[in-house]
Amino acid sequence: MRLAIKEASRALGLTAPNPAVGAVIVKNGLLLAKGYHRAPGLPHAEIEAIRRLENRRWKIGDRSHPKLLTPNSQLPAAGSTLYVTLEPCSSHGKTPPCTGAIIAAGISRVVYGARDPDKRHLGRATRILRKAGIEVTEGVLAEECAALNAYWNHRNTRGLPWVIAKAGMSLDGRIDSPPHRRWITSTASRKEAMHLRASVEAILVGGGTVRTDDPSLTIRGIKLAKNHPQPWRVVWSRSGKIPKKSKLLADAHRDRTLVFTGMTLRKVLQELGKRGISSVLIEGGGHTLGEAFDQNMVDEVRFFIAPVIQGGSVPAVGGRGRGSRAPTIQLTDVIHKKIGSDVMVSGRVLRKQRNRL
């Protein structure tokens, strides 16, 4: 299962709106094949491993010895065990259900880690496979397997993407740079922020940020897999007055830009969830971040704090704050990390706190 987890980790960031999944096939204690889900619309991890087994070419010295298969074998996977990080899919989407392929391949035993959080599928694969005479073992390294797809699990259980609030600010909590200085935080912090962008499926800003800063919201300056997608760029604008020459509407990634007007922020996030987007990074501005906190939509915080005091009129988090009836937002699992000359403070919003609202 740890090898299957390693396979799944190769798919991180490449499979949205699907989960990252890895699989290996073993027989008589020897590894026969492995695979992972490479991209939406392509074969799932189980199918990838089965196909690799059927099409493999033996190498001299390979422990997966060809004597395991006689020339008369009709099913290369017959009598083998499949290890997979997530409960196999049992419904027909862009690809056929994996349960059918597993049964057809002649696999004798299936071991999986995390259960599918979707209530329509939860436990269904187990019933289908057992009915076909296949032995099924559930919950092996379940927590580690579930952690691979924490955002996807969240969307499937709550109908909303996981929301990360990000800001780069001065020590006095301001995000508007003075005229002579474009950046508040250090180069190291901005590189870390790029890695953060690369870890999510969408980046959201308010219309005011687009009009004032004209951001590109692209991933720059870090190494990525060639097929790593550009995250969706989402603009929440009450007025809808977005300049047509804005980078978000005119650059090479303009087809990855979504503009929402006449909707509450909660409705926008619900719509993103319906589109299969599991994680959203809210980068600003202060009004948008304030609204996200006021409406209790934030799950995680990543604040980069520079050792400068600059004054300014734009706070990192606006909104009603203490002027509303909402309690003070508290974080858990807090981490303080020095990055360059700055300090990054990260943590998760207390679940108990969110449920109370």
Side-chain angles (χ1 to χ4, degrees), residues 69-116:
L69 305 177
T70 66
N72 296 325
S73 295
Q74 295 180 352
L75 299 172
S80 66
T81 296
L82 170 72
Y83 292 84
V84 60
T85 54
L86 181 67
E87 177 179 355
C89 71
S90 54
S91 59
H92 200 298
K94 290 184 177 180
T95 59
C98 292
T99 49
I102 292 169
I103 294 169
I107 290 171
S108 297
R109 181 179 177 229
V110 172
V111 181
Y112 68 80
R115 302 186 81 182
D116 191 327

Side-chain angles (χ1 to χ4, degrees), residues 166-178 181-185 213 283-287 289 303-319 342:
K166 176 259 176 182
M169 68 184 77
S170 62
L171 196 59
D172 53 340
R174 295 296 186 264
I175 61 173
D176 48 336
S177 301
R181 182 178 177 182
R182 182 181 179 186
W183 305 108
I184 298 175
T185 55
D213 299 335
E283 289 206 8
H287 169 74
L289 282 170
F303 283 175
F304 298 83
I305 306 171
V308 297
I309 298 175
Q310 64 180 33
S313 59
V314 184
V317 180
D342 309 327

Side-chain angles (χ1 to χ4, degrees), residues 183 190-191 194 197 216-222:
W183 305 108
R190 297 197 296 277
K191 185 175 182 179
M194 286 295 164
R197 282 184 178 180
S216 62
L217 304 183
T218 54
I219 303 172
R220 307 178 298 278
I222 61 174

